[in-house]
Amino acid sequence: MNFGLLHHTETAFPDAIEKGLAFLRNNDLNNLENGRHDIDGDRLFANVMTLTTLPASEKQGELHHDYIDIQFLISGEERIDVCLAESGCRPATDYDAENDFALLETMPGASSLLLSPGMFAIFYPHQPHKPGCAVTSPSEVKKVVVKVHKDLL
Ligand code: CU
């Protein structure tokens, strides 16, 4: 997992992740339409969405096998919980290979990331994460999830 500010990152990420970050830097995100935006076909694309956050207790965690998530907040405030892959999460669903996710019922020992606009968090395959949680009370956020296929790393 990485946690950072889009415009102040000193870290050099692998090229595919840098491409995803460049998409975020080079687009007028406030005016980007919700939905999918291809960067490199099915291997690298961005999902732009508007959603209402919910208390973490009402959300399920998720993990992916094939794609890295770059979760980026455009507006609002968002909490994303994260825990170790080894922490023994109880699955809520079997892994859905077509859509590349499994939902998690529990995330033992989770920590919370608090995102303000301009912050991103990167989750690698098999790292449990629970996005879309409210920081204080439910509110609307606009965000982007850039999906990077692991074969690009
Ligand atoms: Cu995810």
Side-chain angles (χ1 to χ4, degrees):
M1 189 208 77
N2 301 99
F3 187 37
L5 269 173
L6 185 62
H7 294 286
H8 296 271
T9 179
E10 305 273 318
T11 312
F13 292 105
D15 285 352
I17 291 177
E18 289 290 349
K19 260 192 193 172
L21 294 172
F23 173 89
L24 297 173
R25 290 192 186 103
N26 298 334
N27 278 280
D28 177 8
L29 299 175
N30 281 304
N31 291 314
L32 205 57
E33 274 185 43
N34 284 346
R36 174 169 162 160
H37 301 261
D38 282 356
I39 304 167
D40 182 7
D42 282 337
R43 304 191 308 167
L44 183 57
F45 56 93
N47 288 326
V48 180
M49 60 195 88
T50 303
L51 56 88
T52 302
T53 57
L54 288 173
S57 58
E58 295 176 24
K59 304 280 293 186
Q60 289 181 315
E62 62 187 53
L63 59 78
H64 315 294
H65 291 190
D66 293 334
Y67 283 86
I68 295 136
D69 277 3
I70 306 174
Q71 303 252 349
F72 177 77
L73 189 63
I74 300 172
S75 63
E77 56 177 17
E78 181 184 16
R79 166 179 159 185
I80 301 180
D81 283 0
V82 56
C83 74
L84 296 176
E86 298 80 7
S87 61
C89 298
R90 189 174 339 122
T93 63
D94 287 336
Y95 173 65
D96 175 344
E98 195 171 326
N99 296 302
D100 186 37
F101 72 85
L103 293 175
L104 304 170
E105 192 173 312
T106 62
M107 290 175 54
S111 299
S112 297
L113 305 176
L114 302 183
L115 276 72
S116 302
M119 290 182 179
F120 66 85
I122 302 176
F123 301 99
Y124 295 87
H126 299 281
Q127 291 190 328
H129 51 284
K130 188 195 284 189
C133 302
V135 174
T136 49
S137 53
S139 61
E140 188 172 278
V141 300
K142 184 173 183 184
K143 63 180 289 185
V144 187
V145 183
V146 179
K147 306 290 289 188
V148 183
H149 197 282
K150 65 181 181 186
D151 286 352
L152 292 179
L153 293 193

PDB file of all heavy atoms in Angstrom, residues 24-39:
ATOM      1  N   LEU A  24      -4.199  11.237 -13.749  1.00  0.00           N
ATOM      2  CA  LEU A  24      -4.844  12.064 -12.714  1.00  0.00           C
ATOM      3  C   LEU A  24      -4.311  13.496 -12.752  1.00  0.00           C
ATOM      4  O   LEU A  24      -5.054  14.456 -12.541  1.00  0.00           O
ATOM      5  CB  LEU A  24      -4.618  11.449 -11.333  1.00  0.00           C
ATOM      6  CG  LEU A  24      -5.235  10.055 -11.119  1.00  0.00           C
ATOM      7  CD1 LEU A  24      -4.786   9.479  -9.777  1.00  0.00           C
ATOM      8  CD2 LEU A  24      -6.761  10.120 -11.191  1.00  0.00           C
ATOM      9  N   ARG A  25      -3.020  13.632 -13.017  1.00  0.00           N
ATOM     10  CA  ARG A  25      -2.417  14.970 -13.028  1.00  0.00           C
ATOM     11  C   ARG A  25      -2.822  15.766 -14.261  1.00  0.00           C
ATOM     12  O   ARG A  25      -2.910  16.992 -14.208  1.00  0.00           O
ATOM     13  CB  ARG A  25      -0.888  14.861 -13.007  1.00  0.00           C
ATOM     14  CG  ARG A  25      -0.345  14.363 -11.681  1.00  0.00           C
ATOM     15  CD  ARG A  25       1.173  14.556 -11.604  1.00  0.00           C
ATOM     16  NE  ARG A  25       1.680  13.946 -10.385  1.00  0.00           N
ATOM     17  CZ  ARG A  25       2.305  12.783 -10.339  1.00  0.00           C
ATOM     18  NH1 ARG A  25       2.546  12.106 -11.441  1.00  0.00           N
ATOM     19  NH2 ARG A  25       2.710  12.296  -9.180  1.00  0.00           N
ATOM     20  N   ASN A  26      -3.049  15.069 -15.366  1.00  0.00           N
ATOM     21  CA  ASN A  26      -3.207  15.755 -16.654  1.00  0.00           C
ATOM     22  C   ASN A  26      -4.657  15.948 -17.078  1.00  0.00           C
ATOM     23  O   ASN A  26      -4.910  16.416 -18.186  1.00  0.00           O
ATOM     24  CB  ASN A  26      -2.455  14.989 -17.750  1.00  0.00           C
ATOM     25  CG  ASN A  26      -0.961  14.947 -17.458  1.00  0.00           C
ATOM     26  OD1 ASN A  26      -0.439  15.820 -16.772  1.00  0.00           O
ATOM     27  ND2 ASN A  26      -0.280  13.932 -17.960  1.00  0.00           N
ATOM     28  N   ASN A  27      -5.597  15.545 -16.240  1.00  0.00           N
ATOM     29  CA  ASN A  27      -7.002  15.741 -16.579  1.00  0.00           C
ATOM     30  C   ASN A  27      -7.657  16.715 -15.609  1.00  0.00           C
ATOM     31  O   ASN A  27      -7.257  16.813 -14.449  1.00  0.00           O
ATOM     32  CB  ASN A  27      -7.746  14.404 -16.559  1.00  0.00           C
ATOM     33  CG  ASN A  27      -7.543  13.630 -17.850  1.00  0.00           C
ATOM     34  OD1 ASN A  27      -8.191  13.902 -18.855  1.00  0.00           O
ATOM     35  ND2 ASN A  27      -6.621  12.672 -17.821  1.00  0.00           N
ATOM     36  N   ASP A  28      -8.668  17.394 -16.127  1.00  0.00           N
ATOM     37  CA  ASP A  28      -9.462  18.295 -15.287  1.00  0.00           C
ATOM     38  C   ASP A  28     -10.497  17.425 -14.577  1.00  0.00           C
ATOM     39  O   ASP A  28     -11.600  17.217 -15.071  1.00  0.00           O
ATOM     40  CB  ASP A  28     -10.123  19.343 -16.185  1.00  0.00           C
ATOM     41  CG  ASP A  28     -11.015  20.274 -15.384  1.00  0.00           C
ATOM     42  OD1 ASP A  28     -11.005  20.196 -14.137  1.00  0.00           O
ATOM     43  OD2 ASP A  28     -11.733  21.066 -16.017  1.00  0.00           O
ATOM     44  N   LEU A  29     -10.101  16.897 -13.429  1.00  0.00           N
ATOM     45  CA  LEU A  29     -10.887  15.827 -12.803  1.00  0.00           C
ATOM     46  C   LEU A  29     -12.269  16.292 -12.358  1.00  0.00           C
ATOM     47  O   LEU A  29     -13.220  15.522 -12.388  1.00  0.00           O
ATOM     48  CB  LEU A  29     -10.111  15.230 -11.623  1.00  0.00           C
ATOM     49  CG  LEU A  29      -8.765  14.604 -12.020  1.00  0.00           C
ATOM     50  CD1 LEU A  29      -8.017  14.151 -10.775  1.00  0.00           C
ATOM     51  CD2 LEU A  29      -8.954  13.443 -12.978  1.00  0.00           C
ATOM     52  N   ASN A  30     -12.378  17.559 -11.952  1.00  0.00           N
ATOM     53  CA  ASN A  30     -13.690  18.046 -11.521  1.00  0.00           C
ATOM     54  C   ASN A  30     -14.708  17.982 -12.648  1.00  0.00           C
ATOM     55  O   ASN A  30     -15.904  17.856 -12.403  1.00  0.00           O
ATOM     56  CB  ASN A  30     -13.582  19.481 -11.004  1.00  0.00           C
ATOM     57  CG  ASN A  30     -13.036  19.505  -9.595  1.00  0.00           C
ATOM     58  OD1 ASN A  30     -13.584  18.874  -8.698  1.00  0.00           O
ATOM     59  ND2 ASN A  30     -11.933  20.208  -9.404  1.00  0.00           N
ATOM     60  N   ASN A  31     -14.215  18.080 -13.871  1.00  0.00           N
ATOM     61  CA  ASN A  31     -15.133  18.075 -15.010  1.00  0.00           C
ATOM     62  C   ASN A  31     -15.118  16.751 -15.774  1.00  0.00           C
ATOM     63  O   ASN A  31     -15.719  16.642 -16.830  1.00  0.00           O
ATOM     64  CB  ASN A  31     -14.791  19.231 -15.955  1.00  0.00           C
ATOM     65  CG  ASN A  31     -15.123  20.564 -15.309  1.00  0.00           C
ATOM     66  OD1 ASN A  31     -16.202  20.726 -14.739  1.00  0.00           O
ATOM     67  ND2 ASN A  31     -14.185  21.492 -15.349  1.00  0.00           N
ATOM     68  N   LEU A  32     -14.452  15.767 -15.227  1.00  0.00           N
ATOM     69  CA  LEU A  32     -14.403  14.466 -15.891  1.00  0.00           C
ATOM     70  C   LEU A  32     -15.709  13.724 -15.610  1.00  0.00           C
ATOM     71  O   LEU A  32     -16.174  13.666 -14.473  1.00  0.00           O
ATOM     72  CB  LEU A  32     -13.215  13.683 -15.314  1.00  0.00           C
ATOM     73  CG  LEU A  32     -12.590  12.597 -16.168  1.00  0.00           C
ATOM     74  CD1 LEU A  32     -12.112  13.146 -17.506  1.00  0.00           C
ATOM     75  CD2 LEU A  32     -11.400  11.987 -15.408  1.00  0.00           C
ATOM     76  N   GLU A  33     -16.290  13.176 -16.661  1.00  0.00           N
ATOM     77  CA  GLU A  33     -17.581  12.488 -16.504  1.00  0.00           C
ATOM     78  C   GLU A  33     -17.407  11.184 -15.738  1.00  0.00           C
ATOM     79  O   GLU A  33     -16.390  10.497 -15.873  1.00  0.00           O
ATOM     80  CB  GLU A  33     -18.156  12.164 -17.883  1.00  0.00           C
ATOM     81  CG  GLU A  33     -18.958  13.298 -18.464  1.00  0.00           C
ATOM     82  CD  GLU A  33     -19.609  12.893 -19.780  1.00  0.00           C
ATOM     83  OE1 GLU A  33     -20.132  11.773 -19.872  1.00  0.00           O
ATOM     84  OE2 GLU A  33     -19.557  13.717 -20.696  1.00  0.00           O
ATOM     85  N   ASN A  34     -18.432  10.868 -14.956  1.00  0.00           N
ATOM     86  CA  ASN A  34     -18.434   9.581 -14.283  1.00  0.00           C
ATOM     87  C   ASN A  34     -18.422   8.461 -15.316  1.00  0.00           C
ATOM     88  O   ASN A  34     -18.918   8.614 -16.420  1.00  0.00           O
ATOM     89  CB  ASN A  34     -19.684   9.439 -13.397  1.00  0.00           C
ATOM     90  CG  ASN A  34     -19.562  10.245 -12.123  1.00  0.00           C
ATOM     91  OD1 ASN A  34     -18.484  10.700 -11.754  1.00  0.00           O
ATOM     92  ND2 ASN A  34     -20.674  10.423 -11.436  1.00  0.00           N
ATOM     93  N   GLY A  35     -17.828   7.351 -14.933  1.00  0.00           N
ATOM     94  CA  GLY A  35     -17.761   6.197 -15.819  1.00  0.00           C
ATOM     95  C   GLY A  35     -16.319   5.844 -16.120  1.00  0.00           C
ATOM     96  O   GLY A  35     -15.389   6.384 -15.527  1.00  0.00           O
ATOM     97  N   ARG A  36     -16.172   4.918 -17.068  1.00  0.00           N
ATOM     98  CA  ARG A  36     -14.838   4.401 -17.366  1.00  0.00           C
ATOM     99  C   ARG A  36     -14.126   5.237 -18.422  1.00  0.00           C
ATOM    100  O   ARG A  36     -14.729   5.645 -19.416  1.00  0.00           O
ATOM    101  CB  ARG A  36     -14.977   2.949 -17.847  1.00  0.00           C
ATOM    102  CG  ARG A  36     -13.680   2.349 -18.333  1.00  0.00           C
ATOM    103  CD  ARG A  36     -13.794   0.862 -18.545  1.00  0.00           C
ATOM    104  NE  ARG A  36     -12.715   0.390 -19.400  1.00  0.00           N
ATOM    105  CZ  ARG A  36     -12.317  -0.875 -19.476  1.00  0.00           C
ATOM    106  NH1 ARG A  36     -12.930  -1.793 -18.756  1.00  0.00           N
ATOM    107  NH2 ARG A  36     -11.324  -1.215 -20.278  1.00  0.00           N
ATOM    108  N   HIS A  37     -12.843   5.480 -18.187  1.00  0.00           N
ATOM    109  CA  HIS A  37     -11.990   6.187 -19.144  1.00  0.00           C
ATOM    110  C   HIS A  37     -10.774   5.311 -19.405  1.00  0.00           C
ATOM    111  O   HIS A  37      -9.983   5.058 -18.488  1.00  0.00           O
ATOM    112  CB  HIS A  37     -11.546   7.542 -18.572  1.00  0.00           C
ATOM    113  CG  HIS A  37     -12.700   8.454 -18.237  1.00  0.00           C
ATOM    114  ND1 HIS A  37     -13.106   9.463 -19.075  1.00  0.00           N
ATOM    115  CD2 HIS A  37     -13.549   8.468 -17.186  1.00  0.00           C
ATOM    116  CE1 HIS A  37     -14.160  10.078 -18.547  1.00  0.00           C
ATOM    117  NE2 HIS A  37     -14.443   9.500 -17.392  1.00  0.00           N
ATOM    118  N   ASP A  38     -10.631   4.842 -20.627  1.00  0.00           N
ATOM    119  CA  ASP A  38      -9.500   3.965 -20.946  1.00  0.00           C
ATOM    120  C   ASP A  38      -8.211   4.768 -21.049  1.00  0.00           C
ATOM    121  O   ASP A  38      -8.188   5.859 -21.624  1.00  0.00           O
ATOM    122  CB  ASP A  38      -9.739   3.252 -22.282  1.00  0.00           C
ATOM    123  CG  ASP A  38     -10.710   2.083 -22.118  1.00  0.00           C
ATOM    124  OD1 ASP A  38     -11.114   1.803 -20.978  1.00  0.00           O
ATOM    125  OD2 ASP A  38     -11.047   1.460 -23.145  1.00  0.00           O
ATOM    126  N   ILE A  39      -7.155   4.214 -20.497  1.00  0.00           N
ATOM    127  CA  ILE A  39      -5.818   4.795 -20.645  1.00  0.00           C
ATOM    128  C   ILE A  39      -4.998   3.861 -21.532  1.00  0.00           C
ATOM    129  O   ILE A  39      -4.325   4.275 -22.450  1.00  0.00           O
ATOM    130  CB  ILE A  39      -5.141   4.981 -19.268  1.00  0.00           C
ATOM    131  CG1 ILE A  39      -6.030   5.846 -18.368  1.00  0.00           C
ATOM    132  CG2 ILE A  39      -3.742   5.585 -19.430  1.00  0.00           C
ATOM    133  CD1 ILE A  39      -5.635   5.843 -16.898  1.00  0.00           C
TER     134      ILE A  39
END
